[in-house]
């Protein structure tokens, strides 16, 4: 039998050979509230780009609206238009993608552009939403999107460049917030404080999830957590008391007795050193279970860790379950690959990547389920 005692919801029986991902929306709300408590007086928004880091922007938007979130961020106008029906009249800011062809999307879905260059500013003034609220992004040391320091100074020195615009949230983004002792954090903070004070900022925003932990001087008027909402890095989890949101389970399809020296999988890269049992599990790299997990990943079965044995294939992965009692490692049992025993951070490190990529790679072939307080809910009908 699958060991589900530690799960905050029930698992169905394995009826078809599909992995199942379960999103705990109560945990998501808990995490948003934990960030909000930590952020003190600053408003807490929510970054829901990339389909809410793979967790589903619709359901995530709906529960966060109910929890009191009023400001959302997505990557591009198409994501913003898809989010709009789920979040009522909340503010939706778009990190990138203001152009002549997307202007109508901004108008139709009531989206707020984040202007990243003088050219975008001109376009918005000429054809955009008149006095509608906007964001303005300053590059303070990451060399990604945004106005340069020089461009901000030119803008601030002009009598006309900023005329006729709506309320403006001035923003920037930290390059090294995951390393609290990196001096670049304070350099960016100082430059952002200086440059944003030259502009008629209605509000200011600097901190992503890790940046929030850097403390109150980094919070300004609004904080922009993404990863923390979805279960976070282990550092965020420890500091904020976050809960896992995404749980991934895959079914054991078959269990083999593998005598000593049996080779497993493509390339025969794993040879068992003792008489072993190998569980063949129905997920692979086509499901976002990275090939980098070959001979490196870990599953959780019947209260213990079981290692990936051999290479991950497209649809199948083999685990060495020799140390699990045979009756607890049977075809039809679930093996946990992400959840309370295996954090997104840990799984990322095992696969040579990071939690962000683990979440955004969650596969399209999964059965997706949402739970609130342990009960299944339909993602469409929240
Ligand atoms: C993605 C993103 C965030 C959220 O970052 P997390 O590290 O996931 O909290 C905030 N601001 C900007 C500009 C982003 O691109």
């Amino acid at each position: 039998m699958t060991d589900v005692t530690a799960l905050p919801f029930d698992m169905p029986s394995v009826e078809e050979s599909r992995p199942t991902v379960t999103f705990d929306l109560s945990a998501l709300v808990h995490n948003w509230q934990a960030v909000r408590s930590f952020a003190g007086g600053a408003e807490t928004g929510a970054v829901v780009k990339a389909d809410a880091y793979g967790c589903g922007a619709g359901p995530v938007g709906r529960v966060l609206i109910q929890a009191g979130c009023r400001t959302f961020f997505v990557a591009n106008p198409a994501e913003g238009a898809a989010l709009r029906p789920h979040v009522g009249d909340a503010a939706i800011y778009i990190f990138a993608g203001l152009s002549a062809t997307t202007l109508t999307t901004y108008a139709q879905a009531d989206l707020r552009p984040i202007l990243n260059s003088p050219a975008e500013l001109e376009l918005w003034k000429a054809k955009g939403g008149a006095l509608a609220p906007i964001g303005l992004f300053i590059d303070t040391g990451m060399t990604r999107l945004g106005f340069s320091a020089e461009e901000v100074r030119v803008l601030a020195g002009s009598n006309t460049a900023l005329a006729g615009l709506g309320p403006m949230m001035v923003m920037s983004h930290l390059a090294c917030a995951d390393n609290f002792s990196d001096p670049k954090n304070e350099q960016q903070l100082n430059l952002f404080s200086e440059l944003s004070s030259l502009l008629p900022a209605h509000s200011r925003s600097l901190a992503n999830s890790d940046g929030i932990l850097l403390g109150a001087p980094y919070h300004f008027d609004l904080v922009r957590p993404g990863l923390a909402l979805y279960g976070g890095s282990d550092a965020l989890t420890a500091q904020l008391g976050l809960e896992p949101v995404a749980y991934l389970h895959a079914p054991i399809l078959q269990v083999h007795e593998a005598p000593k020296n049996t080779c497993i999988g493509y390339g025969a890269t794993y040879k068992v050193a003792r008489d072993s049992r190998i569980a063949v599990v129905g997920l692979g790299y086509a499901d976002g279970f990275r090939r980098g997990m070959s001979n490196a990943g870990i599953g959780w079965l019947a209260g213990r860790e079981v290692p990936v044995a051999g290479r991950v294939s497209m649809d199948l992965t083999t685990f060495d379950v020799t140390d699990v009692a045979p009756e607890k490692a049977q075809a039809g049992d679930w093996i946990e690959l992400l959840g309370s025993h295996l954090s997104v951070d840990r799984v990322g490190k095992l696969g040579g990547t990071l939690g962000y990529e683990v979440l955004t790679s969650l596969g399209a072939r999964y059965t997706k389920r949402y739970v609130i307080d342990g009960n299944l809910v339909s993602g469409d009908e929240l």
Side-chain angles (χ1 to χ4, degrees), residues 47 49 53 95 137 144 173 208-209 224-227 356:
V47 179
K49 62 193 181 188
Y53 293 42
F95 283 132
F137 202 93
R144 230 170 51 168
H173 193 52
N208 67 336
S209 298
R224 307 190 305 267
L227 188 67
Y356 293 88

Side-chain angles (χ1 to χ4, degrees), residues 244-261:
V245 171
Y247 291 77
L248 175 59
H249 290 86
I252 297 178
L253 305 180
Q254 201 171 5
V255 180
H256 294 290
E257 300 292 337
K260 185 176 172 182
N261 291 334

Side-chain angles (χ1 to χ4, degrees), residues 300-322:
W300 179 265
L301 181 66
R304 65 164 64 225
E305 294 184 355
V306 290
V308 171
R311 287 203 185 134
V312 176
S313 317
M314 189 183 292
D315 319 304
L316 299 168
T317 302
T318 34
F319 291 79
D320 189 329
V321 297
T322 314

